[in-house]
Each structure stands twice: as structure tokens, then as C-alpha cells.
Amino acid sequence: MESIDCNRCGKCKEICPSYKVFMSEAFCPRGRLHLFYLFQEGLVPDSNALKERIFSCLLCGSCFSKCPLGINVPDFMYEARQKITKDSKLYLFKYFSLYPHLAFTGLKILEKISPLSSFLQKIKIFPLKLIDKLRVFDKSHEFTKNLKIFNKIKPKGRVALFLGCSVNYLMPSLREAMIDLLSKANFEIIIPKQSCCGAPLLAAGFKEEILSLALKNINIYKSFQIDGVITPCSTCAHFLSSQYKDLTGENVKILNFADLLENSDNIFQDIKSHLQVYFHVSCHSSNYIKDTNKIMEIIKKQGVSLEKKEGCCGFAGLFSFLFEKESMDILKKKVLEYEKADMLISSCPNCIIQFKYMMENKKVMHYIEFIQKNLLKGE
Ligand code: SF4
Ligand code: SF4
């Protein structure tokens, strides 16, 4: 399907989070498609105005899931970003993805030296809110540097973990919750040395770099005898499976967490909770991976009052980096929508970063950590 095949029906427009904040045809899916077509035909120049319209797409995939013709607008946006001239901020994003350990060590230092972080924020090298958003996370733990294997005598299966950068560097309690839950469900667990999945590279238009990262990750996971890979991040899951397949012809086999918990009723306990829990389903879960219905059933079965909520939180990696004000506007609307929740759980660590920033008065956590902390039987 080519961008020119769009029949301009507009079904994608109203659900586009970027259109909702910019309110202009050039910032909606069909507008962006048309602009990219004109750019390729040499009818619009490679300009800042074009860059703004192409890079303000959050790559959420909502338009793709609504398009009657199945036009994959985010894929066209990835292609456009490879072709448009890149500015310096995008190179910062590239190195963040290629060397996440250095980036997170740098963030730790910046957090401690506030005059330096204020200076970088002032000259707009850093988005104002990023350091504040990450401040609440525990960065004192060891990153997963070396291979870890947790064996079992008669395991139900053998899985490897792909943590994703946010979990590896910021959320050690989620990593521990995954290990505990999978271990109680009787799985052998392998945690190889971790890398980025490459989503930030493709979002910033660096195709060569993501190709070599994808092959590196595919080869790492191919080298183990496993049933498949589990990741707590829906964006990583989408990249390791479909995007890697499109880029290299091969992929990493991603398993659904709910499938691994099937026939494990013996590890759970019923709870009587009056708390209203909202399940914020991330864009990559809603529009690509579609991994949350089964897990919601498992949680509800234990007596939790759970409500499903969808729609972009405004983080989207690069978007919150380049369009901080609009990212905050999208978030503010979601926070108002979720006002009645006593607690928020999500399928995406990046949505958790975003919500924790503005929902200080509520518990916000990943559904895996919620299950491990609240629904498991005692020893
Ligand atoms: S829904 Fe599809 S066909 Fe309709 S305007 Fe959007 S991209 Fe074009
Ligand atoms: S991917 Fe999301 S933000 Fe981008 S054009 Fe489609 S709906 Fe809009």
C-alpha cells in the first residue's frame, strides 16, 4: 500500500493524539502522508516546517488500526525520517539508544549537579521535564551487565527476558517481580546482557544503526535454547517481533505473559479489594501487540475491580523530547480522565514514567508488579 492510495476518508484524523493538540490538517495522519508524498515528488522542500510535521507523529499506530485500507502511516513516517535532514537533537537520541548505560549514568550525574542540569535545560539541550520525570526512580541498583540463569528441576518451560532500557535502568523492582512471578509459575529464566531494542533509533531515522542492533539482539536470543522471550515493554515487543521481521527478515519470538500464567491458578489468591484500578493499555499494546485482554481476565478473576482505558499518554520517546509542551498537554487530559481511579496499572514502562510525573497522589505501576505484589499467595 502506497501513501498515494489514501482515499482521504478521514477515519484516522479524530483519533490522532498529535492532531488533537496541533489541530491542523498538516499534523494529522492523512496530512502527513500527503506531505511525504509531495516531498518524495520534489514538490515540497526539506525544511523545518516539514520536519516539524513529520516528527510530531507519536508513532502510536492508532491511525493504522482505524484505516479501512490498512495504510501503515507510522511506517511511512519512519521512512520519511530516514530521508529528511537530521538536526543535532536527533543525534543525542541516537547515542542514548546505542549507549544507554552511558546515558543513564550521565542522568544520574546530572541529577546530583543541579546547576549543570539547569544550564543544559536553559540552553534547551535537554527537555525541561526529563530529569524531573526520572528523579523518582531508583538508580542505585546494578544494571543487568552479565548473563543470569535461574534453573529449575522440572520446569514448565524456559524463557529469556528482554527488559528494555526503562526497566533495566530505572525499575529494578519490576525486573525482580518478573523473575519472582515466572519462577513461581515454574519457568526457567535466562537474562542475557541487555541492549536497547532500537525503537529510538528508528523513530529518529537511523536505519543502518537499528539494522545492526536488531541483528545483534536476534543473534543473542537465538543462541539460547528457549521457548521464547518475555518483555514487560509493549514497544520493545513490537520492535523485536514485527519491526525486526520487516527490517531483517528474522525476529525474536515474543511470548505473551498471560499465556505463561495459564494453568497457574494455584499460585494466586483471591483478594477482596474495594479499590478501583484502571488499566492503561499502551498504544503499542492496543494497536500492535494486543496482549492485554487475557491478562485483564486473570487479574479480574482474583477479585480486582479493573477498568480498561486506552489512548496515548503523550510520552512516545522522541515526541516528549522534541515537543515537551504538547506531550504535557496530552498527559494532562489523560490524568483528568483517570481522576476517579484509586490506582493505575499499565503494560508499558514508558507510560508509567509519564503518569508517575503527574499522578504523585496515586499508585502507578506495571501490571506484572501489581500481580506479583497483590495477587500471589504467601510462601
Ligand atoms: S483512514 Fe486511511 S484511507 Fe482514510 S484518510 Fe486515514 S490514512 Fe487515508
Ligand atoms: S501514528 Fe499516531 S500520532 Fe502518528 S499520525 Fe498516526 S495516529 Fe497520529
Side-chain angles (χ1 to χ4, degrees):
M1 197 61 68
E2 295 301 318
S3 57
I4 192 71
D5 294 325
C6 165
N7 64 14
R8 308 187 59 75
C9 70
K11 290 206 165 68
C12 54
K13 190 169 167 176
E14 299 306 325
I15 40 99
C16 172
S18 159
Y19 175 71
K20 283 181 193 165
V21 280
F22 290 100
M23 294 305 285
S24 153
E25 176 68 19
F27 289 82
C28 85
R30 72 176 176 195
R32 290 190 173 100
L33 271 182
H34 191 57
L35 268 176
F36 180 43
Y37 169 74
L38 294 176
F39 168 68
Q40 283 187 304
E41 294 296 307
L43 299 169
V44 296
D46 183 349
S47 61
N48 283 338
L50 178 71
K51 247 180 255 171
E52 202 177 30
R53 282 144 184 83
I54 297 294
F55 279 91
S56 56
C57 163
L58 291 100
L59 306 166
C60 67
S62 299
C63 47
F64 175 44
S65 70
K66 285 279 179 302
C67 176
L69 301 181
I71 296 177
N72 194 336
V73 180
D75 271 1
F76 285 106
M77 294 303 104
Y78 287 128
E79 196 187 331
R81 291 171 188 203
Q82 285 154 31
K83 292 180 174 164
I84 295 173
T85 317
K86 294 169 188 55
D87 60 29
S88 52
K89 272 191 179 176
L90 296 176
Y91 284 89
L92 203 64
F93 211 66
K94 167 179 156 178
Y95 294 115
F96 188 90
S97 183
L98 289 177
Y99 309 105
H101 54 293
L102 291 181
F104 281 95
T105 307
L107 275 172
K108 265 200 235 179
I109 296 168
L110 276 181
E111 229 179 66
K112 287 193 183 123
I113 313 174
S114 50
L116 180 60
S117 59
S118 315
F119 172 71
L120 289 175
Q121 286 171 354
K122 209 178 260 172
I123 59 171
K124 299 207 165 138
I125 283 188
F126 246 83
L128 284 165
K129 303 266 184 305
L130 184 64
I131 295 171
D132 293 338
K133 275 183 193 168
L134 302 186
R135 208 178 287 279
V136 294
F137 292 93
D138 172 13
K139 297 175 209 72
S140 60
H141 64 288
E142 277 280 295
F143 312 148
T144 312
K145 289 182 193 142
N146 303 312
L147 171 67
K148 286 195 175 92
I149 300 181
F150 301 83
N151 284 314
K152 290 261 173 199
I153 308 272
K154 279 189 185 167
K156 203 169 165 188
R158 187 171 156 94
V159 298
L161 303 191
F162 186 93
L163 298 172
C165 297
S166 302
V167 178
N168 194 23
Y169 295 99
L170 301 171
M171 301 178 189
S173 60
L174 175 50
R175 180 188 60 201
E176 296 313 311
M178 289 183 79
I179 296 169
D180 187 36
L181 199 44
L182 287 167
S183 182
K184 293 209 166 104
N186 199 25
F187 282 91
E188 279 195 337
I189 306 159
I190 294 171
I191 314 181
K193 186 170 185 271
Q194 299 286 302
S195 302
C196 175
C197 70
L201 288 174
L202 202 61
F206 297 98
K207 191 173 177 186
E208 291 288 304
E209 290 79 353
I210 188 183
L211 260 173
S212 54
L213 190 57
L215 288 170
K216 182 178 147 199
N217 278 327
I218 289 167
N219 287 331
I220 287 175
Y221 285 91
K222 250 195 341 200
S223 70
F224 297 105
Q225 275 192 312
I226 47 171
D227 303 326
V229 173
I230 279 287
T231 174
C233 175
S234 51
T235 303
C236 296
H238 172 55
F239 267 74
L240 294 166
S241 51
S242 339
Q243 291 289 7
Y244 279 15
K245 185 88 185 163
D246 290 349
L247 286 163
T248 70
E250 285 190 90
N251 65 352
V252 173
K253 184 183 173 192
I254 294 295
L255 301 171
N256 185 337
F257 206 78
D259 290 339
L260 300 188
L261 297 180
E262 241 170 42
N263 305 320
S264 291
D265 289 357
N266 58 321
I267 66 170
F268 295 119
Q269 61 175 349
D270 288 347
I271 58 162
K272 285 181 188 65
S273 167
H274 300 295
L275 291 183
Q276 179 61 57
V277 182
Y278 280 10
F279 195 128
H280 170 80
V281 182
S282 74
C283 295
H284 282 103
S285 279
S286 286
N287 301 320
Y288 295 104
I289 301 294
K290 305 187 192 301
D291 58 344
T292 45
N293 284 350
K294 265 191 184 174
I295 204 76
M296 284 188 70
E297 277 168 31
I298 293 176
I299 298 173
K300 278 183 184 169
K301 211 167 128 190
Q302 314 310 320
V304 179
S305 169
L306 196 62
E307 208 171 303
K308 183 175 179 176
K309 296 284 175 187
E310 290 177 295
C312 187
C313 69
F315 188 76
L318 187 58
F319 180 81
S320 60
F321 198 70
L322 299 178
F323 299 92
E324 191 173 84
K325 180 170 66 65
E326 290 78 9
S327 166
M328 285 295 114
D329 288 346
I330 297 172
L331 174 63
K332 203 160 266 172
K333 280 192 192 160
K334 280 316 263 181
V335 168
L336 286 174
E337 188 189 330
Y338 294 174
E339 222 170 28
K340 289 210 174 94
D342 297 307
M343 186 175 183
L344 188 69
I345 60 177
S346 177
S347 53
C348 172
N350 298 323
C351 300
I352 292 168
I353 293 175
Q354 184 83 331
F355 282 115
K356 262 186 185 283
Y357 178 70
M358 229 184 242
M359 289 177 113
E360 283 167 348
N361 57 341
K362 287 193 208 305
K363 270 207 167 149
V364 181
M365 64 171 75
H366 196 282
Y367 73 80
I368 294 175
E369 205 169 350
F370 174 80
I371 294 174
Q372 188 256 353
K373 287 207 160 74
N374 299 285
L375 306 183
L376 283 185
K377 271 185 191 154
E379 297 297 324

